Amino acid sequence: MTKIQHLENEVNSLKRENVLMKTEIDRNRDLASSVQTDLQMNQANNAEVFFSVAANSEVNYTIDQTVQFPDTLSAVGGGWDNNTSQFTAPVSGYYLFIINIYKHNAPINNALIWFMSLKKNGVNQVFMRISDFTVNKRSSNHNIGQAILPLDEGDEVDVITASVCRLYDDFGHQNQFSGILLKAGLEE
């Protein structure tokens, strides 16, 4: 075997080795991409999102107004906007919302029944009726509403008045709005 033949054999061997290395690099690149995708999905599935907010004073509302909850008791994971009293889903998933409302004893415009609505993107999801009634000479003016809603990232949820009303609160946070992400991702 001549020196030229020996060098040609070595070059061909190195070319075959180079092809094998490129194939291995491509496999590793695909594996790294798959691991990165799995990691991102894991992070989304383990997302922690919750908030609890409250009112702190008596407020008169007209029909179709967003109920204001200026006191943030807790807020983790983003989504709650204290300026608008609106929740915007930071990740898609199933969320539990709870509304706790106390109304003022005195009727407004002779209305003894008030209505509130939990809305998603402006569409009613839960309708609450709050009425005056007396049991054993004690007045009760309170209601709790709750719902589990599927939300896409960016969906907006808020509490809206559906009648004229006056919410009662003496800084004791009787009026509250809370939400928590139960499960990230929506089933197809």
Side-chain angles (χ1 to χ4, degrees):
M1 182 184 287
T2 67
K3 192 170 190 173
I4 291 179
Q5 287 175 324
H6 179 66
L7 290 174
E8 284 176 350
N9 286 341
E10 193 171 319
V11 166
N12 287 333
S13 175
L14 290 172
K15 283 181 181 179
R16 284 190 300 273
E17 189 177 325
N18 192 29
V19 167
L20 291 173
M21 289 177 125
K22 283 183 180 180
T23 302
E24 188 65 25
I25 287 170
D26 288 342
R27 273 191 245 165
N28 285 336
R29 188 175 292 131
D30 291 345
L31 179 62
S33 177
S34 174
V35 167
Q36 184 176 12
T37 299
D38 288 348
L39 179 62
Q40 289 170 340
M41 290 193 62
N42 251 354
Q43 288 172 337
N45 288 335
N46 293 323
E48 286 187 344
V49 178
F50 58 88
F51 70 93
S52 182
V53 294
N56 59 19
S57 62
E58 285 188 36
V59 178
N60 291 327
Y61 288 98
T62 59
I63 295 172
D64 206 29
Q65 276 190 293
T66 300
V67 178
Q68 297 301 302
F69 298 98
D71 290 355
T72 301
L73 306 175
S74 64
V76 172
W80 179 253
D81 185 336
N82 217 36
N83 295 319
T84 63
S85 285
Q86 186 173 66
F87 175 76
T88 303
V91 296
S92 295
Y94 295 91
Y95 289 81
L96 169 65
F97 294 98
I98 301 170
I99 311 162
N100 186 42
I101 298 292
Y102 275 89
K103 73 181 261 325
H104 192 278
N105 284 333
I108 297 178
N109 297 338
N110 296 318
L112 295 177
I113 300 172
W114 298 353
F115 297 97
M116 295 281 170
S117 177
L118 177 69
K119 291 193 174 186
K120 170 184 159 184
N121 298 328
V123 178
N124 183 48
Q125 303 296 309
V126 174
F127 200 67
M128 296 172 52
R129 177 181 180 203
I130 307 161
S131 58
D132 281 333
F133 64 93
T134 302
V135 176
N136 297 329
K137 298 182 182 179
R138 296 188 132 175
S139 180
S140 178
N141 314 36
H142 168 251
N143 201 351
I144 297 174
Q146 61 188 18
I148 296 174
L149 301 178
L151 299 182
D152 287 318
E153 183 177 340
D155 281 350
E156 298 173 337
V157 176
D158 46 14
V159 179
I160 304 293
T161 58
S163 66
V164 174
C165 61
R166 178 185 302 149
L167 295 187
Y168 171 77
D169 210 305
D170 61 359
F171 300 95
H173 296 141
Q174 287 101 336
N175 296 291
Q176 294 185 11
F177 178 35
S178 300
I180 185 168
L181 173 65
L182 299 175
K183 181 179 185 291
L186 297 175
E187 306 293 320
E188 297 293 318

